[in-house]
Every structure is written in structure tokens, then in C-alpha cells.
Amino acid sequence: MNLAKYRMKTSIKTKWTIFVLILVIYPTILIGYVGYKNYEEVITKHFINSVQKDVLVTSDWFEEKLHDIEKFLTDTQYDEAIYDFMQYYYGRLKMAGIDPKDHTTENIEKIDKMLMNDYNMKEEKVGKYLKSLVLSRQDITLAAYQFREQNQFSYMEFRDEFRDRSKANYERDQFNKYNVFNKINQKLEDEDLNKTYYIDELNNIYFAQKLFYRDTYEHTGTIVIKLDKKQLMHKYEELLEGAKEAIYIQANEGSELVAIGNLTEKKKFKLNDFMEMQPEKDIVYKEENKKEAIIYNLFSTQNLTVGTAVYISTDILLEEIRALSRFMFMLCISTLPIFLLVANKLYKELIYPVYLLSDKMQQIEKGEMGVQIKGDYQDEIGYVYASFNRMSKQIQYLVNCVYREQIILKSSELKALQSQINPHFLYNTLEMINWKARMSGNDDIAQMIEALSGIMEVNIDRRDSHYLTLQEEIEYLKNYIFLIQKRFGERIQFETKVPEHLLDYNIPRLVLQPLIENAISHGIEPVGEGIISIEVVDNEEELTIFIKDTGAGIEATRLAYLQHELNNSQKVFIESESEEKGKGRNHIGVINVQKRIKLLYGEGYGINIESEEGKGTAIIMKLPKTSSETL
């Protein structure tokens, strides 16, 4: 029951949207699944291109990081602390009578012994400097220095020594166990290098730099730093996600730097074989079955060559998409009967009501009055049905009334002829009284009767026209004003300013008198006296008429209501008698004038009211320039 009520309330727009969506989405899903197989290669290609860019960016970052470390260590050559402990070193040798150029075993042992016992050199000179190196960068875990004349003893500082001394001791033992300094010095001498990278048996990365004494330009010693692989390789770990199964990085054609991800021995063997073939830089290698691919990147700096291989599985890449496509296909198959039922239901909801409405309209066309449509619809169809039922009743009512109206019309025509006799009789009688008053010498009464006769003459409308010239309207107003001034005396003053060249233009008949009457009743009378001015201004294709008074003005809320009524003057209002006696009744003349102007000339013309309480009111009327020839 609730579902049926909801269905009746649901709009046609919503129902139609649901229908169209089902109609469009269903074949789209089906076609999407069928066409998916052709898109797999495109998806894989785009993914590989994306991974290739990521690998290139990461390798560039790694290369830039190594360049930065190289520059950092090279700059130590110019460090004053280095120069200071070199001077101290040669000073100590001189004081001890040791010749630094004597490379006999006995002489070297003397130097080792001297330096081992020199606390100032160990802690304050070299030690402090090496500590500053390891603490200044996150990517360095060890810094060591050995004078050229030394053999066994060297200076070392570890970053972990400040947090984990046992780990630092382990690293010192490993450093000494694998004779890192001796091997680095041997490599520098054999290859005639000033700086070099070295990878030990545990695949740790070292960078070494020869240092020269500034005063003699002689090779004084070697400084070595150990790089933190975790800091250098974390960017590669961030690459490892989804279809990027494994990452393998080698240095100098054999030293394994990093092997992360799902890297089985079989895959590692395959990657080793691939790298041994010395592939070109930035190459993509695909297996024949197209289920696997290797992205390779190579870069070199100093004597270090780093190769990066990323192993990609297309099965993992397309796994979720394939599962989704299978699910969508099964969903389409299983929902096909439901779709057919929904389509049939929506057809009945949307099309049958239109057919029923069309059938009832044809009944009215055949003369069956008062036809009604029954239905519980509460959507747009329900609104149309209700409107049709009201229209059908109204048509029936109008048809029943038309005969009575024809009879009443004939009676009205007779009454209209009789009502035309009365004004003529009244006008002729006033003329006779006027002459009698003049013959009796009562000119004041005669003038008032003449003014009243002028007003009656205009009201009789012998020409049967909706328009008067501006001159005729002004003459009419003069008669009206004359009678008003007889009533109010000097308390009301009238000012009129009308250019002569505008007097022949036509304006709606008796359109100004209601406004003057309104100004007197609501403006001047409440304050006892004032001035009313009438001014006509020529505005090219339009006439602008200003009617101003210096009376009481209009309260702000009352003015807002009037302006609203004027802007909606074409609406049909059905008001009770009490409402007519309220705020709408007080200015009904002004509203009627607005209705007449808009009916005659359209929405571009009419009147507007400006007023300030206590200072007066101005009515601005805008009319088109029309003459007898243009009407």
C-alpha cells in the first residue's frame, strides 16, 4: 500500500529518468564488457608508460641525491677544521721527529701509536669534525678518516653511537673486518682516482674522497662516508604497489643494492639474466605471453653505475577490472527480466494516463459536457487530471449560462438607451439654469453651472472615444479645479505647466482627474492646505506627466503596498466587501488608471508613485506620444 502511494506521488520526470537510465545503462554495460578485451592492451600500455615515468623520476631523484652527497664530501677539502687538524698532525710529527715521507713499517707503527694516544687529535680535532658530518645529514651513517701514513688505526664516528652503542660497535667491527679503508685506498691508487664509490661484501655503499694539505698540495689522508641505504631507497619502496610486484637494483654490474617486493628466486634469476645482457637505458621488456613486463633504467655517477628493474604483472594490473567486468555481465543477465517488468510498468504509468486524457477530450469535442476523469495520481498527471475536471465543469457551466446571458444582453441594451437619455436631459437642464442665473445677475452660480456642464459634456462622450487631446483634458481639469476651489477657497492652490506644442497629443480619457482627486483627498485634506502642480514634459517619443502635492505624503509600508499593487495591476483580484473598504479601496482610482494605461499601451507605460511622509507625493505618468492620425 505504501509502495503504491509512493508510486502515485513520484513525478513523471523521475519515472522517465529512471526509464531512460535503465534503457541507456543496460546496453552500455553489455557493450563495455564485450569491448573490454580490446582495451586491455591500451590499459596495459598506459600503465607501463606511467610506471616508466615514475621509475625515471625516482632514479633522477636518487642520482641527484648522490650528486649532492658527492658535492658535500668534496666541499670538506676546503673546510677550515680539516686544515686545522692537518696542521696539528704535521706539527706533532715534527715535534716527535718523525719523517712523514718515511713509509717503513717501523715509521708507520710509530705514527699509529702516536695518534692512538693523542686524545686531542682523536676527540677534539678529527673526532669532533667527523661527528659534525654524521649529524648534519640523515643519509650518512658513518664518517671515517685515515692519514696517508697510517696503517691500522683510523678515526670513525657513527650516527647510531648516540642512540645504540652496540649497533655502532657492530658497524665498527664490520668496517674493520672487511678492511674497508685498505680496499678503498687500494682502489684509489690502482685507478688513480681522487674520489670513488665502494660497495663492500655486505652491499653497503661508501663514498671516499682524497684530502690534500693546502700548504704543500700533498695527499694527506682519505675521508670515507657510509650511505644510509634506507634513506636513499625509500622512494623505490613507495613505487611498490599494485601490479608493480618487485623492484631490483644493482650497482656496478653485480652488487645487489635493493631487492624488495614479491621477488622469488625465479624472478630474481630472471632479472639478473636480464641485467647481464646490458640492456639499453629506459627500456621496456615484455614477455611473449604479455602477462609480465620489466621496466629498466640505468644511470651513472663517478664510478658508480646503478641499474633499476621494476617487475610488472599484467594479471595483477587487470585483476580487479576483469572481476568487475564479469560481475557486471552477470548482473546484466540476471536483471534482464526485472528490466522488462519495470519497462512495462513505467509504460503503463506514463502512456496510459495520456491515452485516457485524450479519450475524455474527444468526448467533450463530441458534445458530452461535464466529463470527469477518476484517478488517485498525485504527480503531474494528477494535476493535469484535476485541471481537466475543473475545466470540464467550467465549460458545462458556461454553456448553460450562455442562453441566459443572451436574454440579459437584450435587456441591457434597452437600459443602456434609457441611461443615455438621462445625462442629455441633465446637461440641457443645467444649460437652462445657467441662462436663468445670468439673467438674474448671479454670475457666481452661473460660472459653477458652466463648469459642471463642461464636466457633464466630457462624461457624456458624444464621440464615443477612449481618448482626449491633452488640451481637452486640461480644460476638463480646469472646470474640475474651479469647482474644487469654490469648495476649499484659497486653501488649495493649483499650478499647471503644459508646453503648447504638446496640447494636440492624445491621452486616455479622464486619466488625470482621478489622480487630482486622490491628491486632494489623501494629500491636502488631512493637512488642511497645500499646492497641487501638473507638469507635462516632452521626452522624445514619450510624454511624462508629473502630478505633485505638498500634502501629508504616504507612510512607507502603505507606499510599498501601493507600488506592489501598481506593479501587479493586471492581476484579477476577488476581494470581499470588507477588503474593499480597507487599504485597497483608498487608492482604487490610482490603480484603475494604471490598469487602463497598461491595457491601452502595454507594460512599458503606466504610473509610479514617489512619496515621503510629511512632505508630499509625486505621481509620474509615462505615456506614448499619440495623435488622432496614429490611433
Side-chain angles (χ1 to χ4, degrees), residues 36 242 314-327:
Y36 169 73
T314 55
D315 283 339
I316 295 176
L317 170 64
L318 302 172
E319 182 180 7
E320 292 184 4
I321 300 175
R322 288 170 179 170
L324 178 62
S325 62
R326 288 192 295 269
F327 171 76

Side-chain angles (χ1 to χ4, degrees), residues 310-462:
V310 179
Y311 191 87
I312 294 175
S313 170
T314 55
D315 283 339
I316 295 176
L317 170 64
L318 302 172
E319 182 180 7
E320 292 184 4
I321 300 175
R322 288 170 179 170
L324 178 62
S325 62
R326 288 192 295 269
F327 171 76
M328 296 306 295
F329 179 75
M330 295 305 298
L331 183 64
C332 290
I333 297 299
S334 61
T335 56
L336 182 59
I338 299 174
F339 167 72
L340 296 175
L341 290 174
V342 171
N344 181 61
K345 189 67 176 177
L346 288 175
Y347 172 81
K348 290 181 179 180
E349 290 286 339
L350 299 174
I351 305 303
Y352 176 74
V354 177
Y355 281 154
L356 181 60
L357 178 63
S358 175
D359 180 63
K360 296 298 182 180
M361 292 176 69
Q362 289 176 5
Q363 291 182 27
I364 292 179
E365 287 179 355
K366 293 176 182 179
E368 297 181 28
M369 299 300 146
V371 173
Q372 298 289 293
I373 303 177
K374 295 180 180 180
D376 297 328
Y377 296 97
Q378 298 182 27
D379 53 12
E380 292 88 343
I381 290 291
Y383 175 78
V384 172
Y385 278 7
S387 299
F388 176 85
N389 291 339
R390 288 194 298 271
M391 181 190 70
S392 177
K393 288 183 179 179
Q394 187 71 7
I395 290 173
Q396 185 181 32
Y397 170 77
L398 293 174
V399 168
N400 290 336
C401 292
V402 70
Y403 301 109
R404 291 196 296 270
E405 288 179 356
Q406 289 178 353
I407 296 171
I408 293 170
L409 180 61
K410 292 180 180 179
S411 175
S412 298
E413 289 175 353
L414 292 174
K415 289 182 180 180
L417 290 173
Q418 293 173 358
S419 65
Q420 288 180 2
I421 296 172
N422 294 333
H424 284 289
F425 176 75
L426 182 58
Y427 174 75
N428 293 331
T429 302
L430 288 173
E431 281 294 311
M432 181 180 68
I433 295 172
N434 176 33
W435 284 107
K436 287 284 186 179
R438 287 188 179 278
M439 291 174 64
S440 301
N442 199 334
D443 292 337
D444 192 38
I445 294 175
Q447 288 174 355
M448 287 191 289
I449 292 173
E450 281 184 1
L452 183 58
S453 298
I455 293 173
M456 291 295 297
E457 174 68 16
V458 174
N459 276 284
I460 289 173
D461 187 17
R462 297 179 189 274

Side-chain angles (χ1 to χ4, degrees), residues 268-283:
K268 186 183 290 189
F269 180 75
K270 183 183 293 185
L271 291 173
N272 268 315
D273 287 348
F274 175 76
M275 289 184 170
E276 285 177 3
M277 294 188 299
Q278 297 183 347
E280 296 179 3
K281 179 180 179 181
D282 299 331
I283 192 173

Side-chain angles (χ1 to χ4, degrees), residues 449-484:
I449 292 173
E450 281 184 1
L452 183 58
S453 298
I455 293 173
M456 291 295 297
E457 174 68 16
V458 174
N459 276 284
I460 289 173
D461 187 17
R462 297 179 189 274
R463 293 181 300 181
D464 192 22
S465 173
H466 294 294
Y467 302 93
L468 291 175
T469 64
L470 191 57
Q471 183 172 5
E472 290 172 333
E473 185 78 12
I474 294 299
E475 288 299 324
Y476 175 85
L477 282 181
K478 286 180 179 179
N479 289 327
Y480 179 75
I481 290 169
F482 175 78
L483 293 175
I484 291 297

Side-chain angles (χ1 to χ4, degrees), residues 488 490-493 523-531 550-552:
F488 290 95
E490 297 297 325
R491 287 183 296 159
I492 297 182
Q493 298 295 320
I524 304 301
E525 276 196 88
V527 297
E529 60 182 2
I531 300 172
T550 60

Side-chain angles (χ1 to χ4, degrees), residues 3 25 121 136 141 265 272 276 279-280 285 319 322 355 390 429 485 495 501 555 591 623 625:
L3 184 61
I25 291 174
M121 173 67 85
S136 64
T141 62
E265 289 299 321
N272 268 315
E276 285 177 3
E280 296 179 3
Y285 170 75
E319 182 180 7
R322 288 170 179 170
Y355 281 154
R390 288 194 298 271
T429 302
Q485 285 184 319
E495 296 176 356
H501 70 280
E555 180 199 3
I591 296 172
L623 302 172
K625 281 184 178 178

